[in-house]
Amino acid sequence: ILSHDLKVALKKGEFYLEYQPQVHANGEVIGVEALLRWNHSLYGRIPPPVIVAIAEETAQIKSLGDWVIHQACRQLADWKASGLQRFRLSINLSVRQLEEPYLEETVAEALAINQLEPEEVELEITENIALANDKRTLGTLSQLHSLGVRIAIDDFGMGHTSLRYLRAFPVTTVKVDRSLTESLNCNVQE
């Protein structure tokens, strides 16, 4: 079923990445977020949370996660070779990836192979992941941060993390959940 198909898809190279632009308030595209995709031959497009859940449950998340990191870094290197400079690449990490002892080495290897500066890569975790296993997560994030990569917390405000709690994590970016910003009045007067 899907768990078997995922293993086969990984071997056959059926996964691919799409890149969602990250736009500055001034309209300038400052980076992209790599998004995992799988167009299953029978079921069509499989939602990324389903892909990740299956990969985690079947102990295939390391292989899949490593592929995403290397593929995304390769794409950024290609864009840089084409003249695109000062551009950031964001890659999502799952909770199981943060538990992998070799995650730091995988990221360092992808940076080296593709001749990327660490600050060009941002690794994203969700607020829920940050809360799931804070000591192990903090250790892994600290190792990754020591490489020089940026660390982002996505969907901030959906869980129970306080701003004070964030100080313990080596976070360079906090992406506030849209539900917290939708009701803000853009015409605030002084």
Side-chain angles (χ1 to χ4, degrees):
I1 316 165
L2 276 181
S3 59
H4 174 266
D5 292 352
L6 186 140
K7 189 174 193 174
V8 171
L10 192 56
K11 286 180 182 176
K12 288 185 172 181
E14 294 177 3
F15 291 101
Y16 61 98
L17 298 177
E18 289 181 343
Y19 297 91
Q20 178 177 323
Q22 296 175 330
V23 182
H24 188 277
N26 68 9
E28 176 188 5
V29 175
I30 58 171
V32 294
E33 181 176 350
L35 303 172
L36 178 63
R37 298 293 185 246
W38 180 21
N39 194 12
H40 191 278
S41 59
L42 181 61
Y43 301 112
R45 286 177 69 112
I46 307 295
V50 173
I51 299 169
V52 171
I54 293 169
E56 287 182 341
E57 289 172 13
T58 59
Q60 297 178 74
I61 193 64
K62 181 181 182 339
S63 299
L64 184 59
D66 289 359
W67 178 84
V68 169
I69 291 167
H70 280 279
Q71 183 66 28
C73 287
R74 187 175 306 117
Q75 180 62 65
L76 181 59
D78 289 348
W79 284 330
K80 285 181 64 177
S82 298
L84 188 62
Q85 300 299 320
R86 295 176 18 147
F87 203 67
R88 181 174 52 231
L89 168 70
S90 292
I91 302 169
N92 294 293
L93 298 177
S94 79
V95 68
R96 294 285 186 263
Q97 282 178 279
L98 287 171
E99 294 173 354
E100 289 291 335
Y102 304 109
L103 180 59
E104 179 189 6
E105 292 173 23
T106 299
V107 173
E109 178 183 63
L111 293 171
I113 288 171
N114 293 289
Q115 300 178 351
L116 299 176
E117 297 298 325
E119 61 272 6
E120 294 174 310
V121 174
E122 182 172 74
L123 301 174
E124 284 191 27
I125 62 170
T126 63
E127 178 183 5
N128 292 339
I129 291 174
L131 292 172
N133 188 349
D134 64 315
K135 286 187 180 184
R136 179 179 281 180
T137 300
L138 180 58
T140 302
L141 292 176
S142 295
Q143 290 175 340
L144 292 167
H145 186 70
S146 70
L147 285 176
V149 297
R150 300 169 56 88
I151 306 294
I153 292 186
D154 196 9
D155 296 332
F156 184 80
M158 290 302 294
H160 302 288
T161 306
S162 73
L163 292 174
R164 181 177 53 86
Y165 186 76
L166 280 178
R167 290 185 8 202
F169 287 89
V171 174
T172 51
T173 305
V174 176
K175 294 171 73 176
V176 178
D177 187 78
R178 176 175 282 166
S179 67
L180 295 175
T181 59
E182 284 179 336
S183 62
L184 292 177
N185 184 349
C186 294
N187 297 321
V188 177
Q189 297 180 6
E190 294 182 26

